[in-house]
Amino acid sequence: MDLDVVNMFVIAGGTLAIPILAFVASFLLWPSALIRIYYWYWRRTLGMQVRYAHHEDYQFCYSFRGRPGHKPSILMLHGFSAHKDMWLSVVKFLPKNLHLVCVDMPGHEGTTRSSLDDLSIDGQVKRVHQFVECLKLNKKPFHLIGTSMGGHVAGVYAAYYPSDICSLCLVCPAGLQYSTDNQFVQRLKELQDSAAIQKIPLIPSTPEEMSEMLQLCSYVRFKVPQQILQGLVDVRIPHNSFYRRLFLEIVSEKSRYSLHQNMDKIKVPTQIIWGKQDQVLDVSGADILAKSIANCQVELLENCGHSVVMERPRKTAKLIVDFLASVHNTDNNKKLN
């Protein structure tokens, strides 16, 4: 902000002077605090309430809107190093009469982080099932959505607990085995071979690395101010050791191809959404899934990278709603016949 404008408010004694100065100071000195306020504001604006559920001594943090009704509830699983609030951009465009639940994945944000926790894909699937049982979300089959790592978990969940869900949406999911590695995967393998786990591109520790990660994950080139980049890094740095542990677990031999190994067990109607310009997980994964899942609908988005939820939230919400409507209407017609 121009200093002359600030001085004008101070000299004039206007009532907005102090709030504006406080905002500028916060933006420059405590950008991470503003990011937290931003998410709080959008949760409040969209009617998403934060709650906690417990399985024995394990705590799950989640946000929700609405109540279970005749339409399926929707459970949304976020990706690696993200949190439940990443879905807010999509929630904004979803009908308010849907029951939505967004949970922090194991070890993320408000959900328990323990050095004893099994962070493998199987371990995360079991934790999500515990959460579902806590909320009795599977009292009636629900719609499950997951993106990236969350998509990996969601797909395996559908294979392990088929009676829990009525339909599935996988947004550029991890966990598939490709005939050839893309540039990003090749780089990861080189880092693993050299044991350079401090340089994983998805775990930034500087504003410059954060900017590089955003460019890797997005086709759209967002112009993010340096202060916001710093704030994003500040929020993540205390968790980076956990993210490294988690990353090494989900790319281990035990977990890397769990979705690929279980995709033929997915029997519910499934929607695949993928950005055509995904540099992290190649879009050809959509075809791999479509060939193995009988009732599968594929949606490929032009000019979109890996961060589908962030880049194309309105389109993603519309695709989800249309898919749910088609599945729901088909089920109703079967009952009538």
Side-chain angles (χ1 to χ4, degrees), residues 181-198:
D181 294 331
N182 66 8
Q183 195 173 17
F184 172 72
V185 173
Q186 288 174 10
R187 183 180 173 193
L188 286 182
K189 288 184 175 179
E190 290 170 3
L191 289 173
Q192 279 184 291
D193 292 340
S194 64
I197 61 169
Q198 300 295 323

Side-chain angles (χ1 to χ4, degrees), residues 65-211:
R65 185 174 77 185
R67 295 175 178 273
H70 68 282
K71 294 182 179 179
S73 297
I74 300 177
L75 174 60
M76 311 172 91
L77 308 182
H78 64 74
F80 171 78
S81 76
H83 46 75
K84 61 187 175 298
D85 292 332
M86 71 158 286
W87 291 106
L88 292 175
S89 56
V90 173
V91 167
K92 177 181 178 181
F93 298 107
L94 290 173
K96 291 187 177 178
N97 63 346
L98 293 176
H99 177 223
L100 308 176
V101 180
C102 305
V103 64
D104 285 325
M105 296 292 279
H108 290 76
E109 199 75 5
T111 291
T112 295
R113 179 180 299 172
S114 167
S115 59
L116 302 176
D117 214 10
D118 180 3
L119 297 175
S120 68
I121 295 301
D122 275 16
Q124 293 192 61
V125 168
K126 289 171 186 172
R127 281 298 187 196
V128 172
H129 184 62
Q130 290 171 357
F131 172 72
V132 167
E133 294 274 301
C134 285
L135 265 62
K136 295 183 171 52
L137 202 59
N138 55 353
K139 188 174 182 180
K140 175 183 173 183
F142 60 90
H143 181 61
L144 181 60
I145 304 176
T147 182
S148 197
M149 181 192 76
H152 194 169
V153 173
V156 177
Y157 188 103
Y160 287 4
Y161 304 103
S163 62
D164 277 12
I165 66 174
C166 60
S167 49
L168 176 69
C169 175
L170 304 178
V171 184
C172 49
L176 298 174
Q177 189 168 6
Y178 297 86
S179 56
T180 58
D181 294 331
N182 66 8
Q183 195 173 17
F184 172 72
V185 173
Q186 288 174 10
R187 183 180 173 193
L188 286 182
K189 288 184 175 179
E190 290 170 3
L191 289 173
Q192 279 184 291
D193 292 340
S194 64
I197 61 169
Q198 300 295 323
K199 299 187 186 232
I200 297 170
L202 297 178
I203 308 178
S205 56
T206 67
E208 292 73 26
E209 290 175 356
M210 174 60 71
S211 180

Side-chain angles (χ1 to χ4, degrees), residues 14-27:
T15 57
L16 290 177
I18 293 176
I20 289 174
L21 284 170
F23 176 83
V24 172
S26 298
F27 182 69

Side-chain angles (χ1 to χ4, degrees), residues 206-275:
T206 67
E208 292 73 26
E209 290 175 356
M210 174 60 71
S211 180
E212 289 173 8
M213 188 190 79
L214 293 176
Q215 290 182 33
L216 172 69
C217 294
S218 305
Y219 174 78
V220 177
R221 292 293 177 255
F222 296 99
K223 293 181 179 179
V224 184
Q226 182 74 9
Q227 289 85 357
I228 293 298
L229 289 172
Q230 184 64 59
L232 292 170
V233 169
D234 290 345
V235 168
R236 294 172 65 99
I237 281 179
H239 310 288
N240 276 356
S241 60
F242 165 75
Y243 294 151
R244 290 189 188 96
R245 177 180 157 230
L246 171 61
F247 185 84
L248 293 176
E249 185 64 55
I250 62 178
V251 300
S252 69
E253 188 175 343
K254 177 182 178 182
S255 291
R256 177 172 289 186
Y257 304 126
S258 291
L259 177 56
H260 201 105
Q261 294 159 359
N262 289 281
M263 60 186 175
D264 59 337
K265 299 173 189 170
I266 298 174
K267 305 302 179 186
V268 295
T270 301
Q271 179 183 48
I272 310 296
I273 303 175
W274 218 302

Side-chain angles (χ1 to χ4, degrees), residues 52 139 152 237 281 298 322:
Y52 296 90
K139 188 174 182 180
H152 194 169
I237 281 179
L281 298 169
V298 175
D322 290 348

Side-chain angles (χ1 to χ4, degrees), residues 178 274-278 281-288 300-301:
Y178 297 86
W274 218 302
K276 281 190 176 182
Q277 284 73 35
D278 192 332
L281 298 169
D282 195 83
V283 66
S284 60
D287 190 50
I288 294 172
L300 304 182
L301 305 185

